[in-house]
Amino acid sequence: MLALLLKDLYTLKAQMKVFLFILIIFALAFQAEAGAFAVFYATLLPVTSLAYDEQSKWPQLALMLPYSIKDIVLSKYLLGWFLSFVVSMLYGLVSLLIDGGDYFLVVIFMSLALCFLALTLPLVFWLGTEKGRLLLVAVLAGIFGMIGATGYISVLYGMQEVPFGSVPAFSGVCLLGTLLFNVLSIFLSIFLYKRRLLRG
């Protein structure tokens, strides 16, 4: 599993440089939304990894190696979780240094991004990245809509009570819901990917 994760990170090395460039430009233009953009973009990089895999015929090669379909699918989720966590922590650290930080928004951004990942990966495993390009456009449109929504949440935050009585409780509920959603997504991805491979 670690080898698959490292393979994806090496594959995305060039993409990471592009990501940093886009992030700098975006941060200069839209400072308030830069953190949300970074978290969403990083979390969806596993989809880019899948596109590279298909172009290089990696899925066919992987089946001849001692990796199960479960390993291949889970490695993409692990990649998304890892990138989401790292970028979210960096965003939280920068936010802490600039304005005292707001971990509630960090949790919200990360939860929403991981939910998008859980929605996107089963469909990409099922349809493939080529057929899923229109889907990804729709997902990206949703991302920017969610960025606007989280901006609205940040305005409301402090003006009214947080659901479940407190910020820590609500953050915990968000993380738990995200975890359960991702677990269901993993099982669905494994099922759909098996069907796709059997279909040829």
Side-chain angles (χ1 to χ4, degrees):
M1 187 69 68
L2 179 60
L4 289 173
L5 186 59
L6 289 174
K7 185 271 297 179
D8 288 334
L9 290 174
Y10 283 129
T11 302
L12 293 171
K13 186 176 180 180
Q15 190 73 17
M16 294 291 189
K17 296 177 181 178
V18 176
F19 167 60
L20 289 175
F21 175 76
I22 294 175
L23 178 58
I24 291 172
I25 299 299
F26 199 85
L28 291 174
F30 310 99
Q31 293 182 15
E33 292 84 4
F37 174 82
V39 175
F40 277 111
Y41 189 98
T43 305
L44 289 177
L45 280 176
V47 178
T48 302
S49 173
L50 276 168
Y52 287 145
D53 286 350
E54 289 185 4
Q55 290 172 8
S56 62
K57 306 299 182 183
W58 165 254
Q60 291 85 339
L61 176 61
L63 292 176
M64 294 185 286
L65 297 173
Y67 296 120
S68 65
I69 292 176
K70 178 182 176 182
D71 292 333
I72 295 171
V73 170
L74 190 56
S75 69
K76 300 303 178 184
Y77 282 89
L78 288 174
L79 177 65
W81 298 341
F82 172 74
L83 293 174
S84 178
F85 178 78
V86 170
V87 175
S88 294
M89 292 303 100
L90 288 174
Y91 166 62
L93 179 60
V94 171
S95 177
L96 179 65
L97 294 175
I98 293 176
D99 56 13
D102 189 346
Y103 81 89
F104 174 66
L105 284 182
V106 174
V107 171
I108 292 295
F109 290 155
M110 186 169 67
S111 297
L112 288 174
L114 291 176
C115 285
F116 267 109
L117 181 71
L119 282 172
T120 304
L121 282 182
L123 291 169
V124 173
F125 274 116
W126 179 36
L127 300 173
T129 53
E130 288 298 324
K131 292 182 180 179
R133 289 189 187 278
L134 290 177
L135 170 68
L136 294 180
V137 170
V139 169
L140 288 173
I143 286 174
F144 285 104
M146 284 296 183
I147 289 174
T150 50
Y152 181 65
I153 290 172
S154 67
V155 173
L156 292 180
Y157 176 54
M159 294 184 181
Q160 61 183 32
E161 285 190 16
V162 177
F164 303 101
S166 69
V167 170
F170 183 58
S171 300
V173 169
C174 287
L175 291 175
L176 180 59
T178 300
L179 176 62
L180 293 175
F181 189 29
N182 274 260
V183 169
L184 292 175
S185 176
I186 289 171
F187 284 108
L188 181 59
S189 290
I190 293 172
F191 172 75
L192 293 174
Y193 195 41
K194 283 182 179 178
R195 288 195 60 180
R196 179 185 166 197
L197 292 176
L198 290 173
R199 197 170 64 233

